[in-house]
Amino acid sequence: MLSIDCLLTVKEYTAVPSPTISGGMSADRTDEFRRAVEDHLPVDAFTFDPHPIQPDFFGDVMRAELDTDRLPLNQYLKFVDGYARLLGVEDRRIINTGIDARTTIENRVPRPLADTDVLVAILIEMGYSGEIISEQQLNSIEESLSWVADLVAQEDRIQIQHHGGPNDLVNEQILGLINAISKILTETDDVIISCSTAENV
């Protein structure tokens, strides 16, 4: 039997200095990222990984491994705003961060790990009250967000699945999400970013 834990990770793609087109090096933002994370998020550890698409050009990605599988959207936005202040910028779109999921798999019964297919997904969950949301409103959200893999509406809750792959739930997508759901929600207090796993054997 496999024990599978799914936890969230916040990545910063430009914190680590890397070569620029002009021949210099980009600014070192590792200290500012670390401070913003420690001030606003439940961080467990900081790590570094090669850039998932162009490691030779972009270098390493700084990762803040969180000690949670659920993160309120408003808490993440406070981190983004705090990080922006440390960098001396006001536009959230300049912040080059993203949210990813990671798993810790403990194989309790000896067997090849290759025999197990673990699906990991980033989910955005939001509750709503008042008037029932129409099918047209739901279709409008799904059509305006290219990264949506699935959208499920229940009686008082909507769940949106991120398509995953090499692209995490990046800051630009989160800002697009806020704009899309503003048509049906006046507040984002009940919006949660989470991760889930499913095991196919």
Side-chain angles (χ1 to χ4, degrees):
M1 177 180 178
L2 286 175
S3 175
I4 306 173
D5 294 324
C6 182
L7 298 170
L8 294 172
T9 296
V10 174
K11 298 180 180 180
E12 216 293 9
Y13 302 93
T14 56
V16 180
S18 60
T20 63
I21 297 176
S22 62
M25 295 291 289
S26 63
D28 187 341
R29 299 177 172 180
T30 53
D31 286 344
E32 290 85 352
F33 179 66
R34 188 184 301 270
R35 287 168 55 192
V37 168
E38 290 174 342
D39 286 346
H40 298 285
L41 302 175
V43 62
D44 184 52
F46 291 97
T47 59
F48 297 86
D49 275 346
H51 194 279
I53 299 175
Q54 290 184 293
D56 293 340
F57 183 77
F58 292 110
D60 287 342
V61 174
M62 189 171 181
R63 298 160 42 101
E65 298 182 356
L66 306 187
D67 187 23
T68 184
D69 62 349
R70 296 175 62 82
L71 184 67
L73 175 61
N74 283 352
Q75 184 177 355
Y76 177 76
L77 293 176
K78 287 180 181 178
F79 150 72
V80 170
D81 291 339
Y83 185 36
R85 284 192 298 272
L86 290 173
L87 296 178
V89 299
E90 297 182 359
D91 191 344
R92 286 174 171 174
R93 292 173 295 181
I94 297 175
I95 303 304
N96 201 6
T97 58
I99 300 177
D100 193 12
R102 71 186 193 279
T103 59
T104 302
I105 301 175
E106 181 182 351
N107 199 350
R108 299 186 181 278
V109 177
R111 64 175 178 175
L113 192 58
D115 290 349
T116 304
D117 181 17
V118 179
L119 305 177
V120 184
I122 290 285
L123 304 175
I124 296 94
E125 305 170 38
M126 61 192 80
Y128 62 90
S129 58
E131 296 183 3
I132 298 175
I133 296 176
S134 68
E135 190 73 23
Q136 183 179 1
Q137 288 175 306
L138 294 176
N139 289 339
S140 175
I141 294 175
E142 191 167 6
E143 291 170 2
S144 66
L145 302 173
S146 62
W147 48 266
V148 173
D150 192 21
L151 189 152
V152 177
Q154 300 172 345
E155 184 176 346
D156 61 350
R157 183 158 293 272
I158 299 172
Q159 188 176 80
I160 301 174
Q161 180 181 331
H162 190 270
H163 63 48
N167 298 315
D168 311 315
L169 178 60
V170 295
N171 213 41
E172 182 180 354
Q173 294 173 343
I174 288 178
L175 298 179
L177 169 70
I178 294 172
N179 182 61
I181 65 177
S182 65
K183 301 167 186 175
I184 59 172
L185 296 177
T186 57
E187 302 287 342
T188 56
D189 293 345
D190 197 26
V191 179
I192 303 292
I193 302 168
S194 66
C195 66
S196 70
T197 60
E199 179 184 349
N200 293 331
V201 181

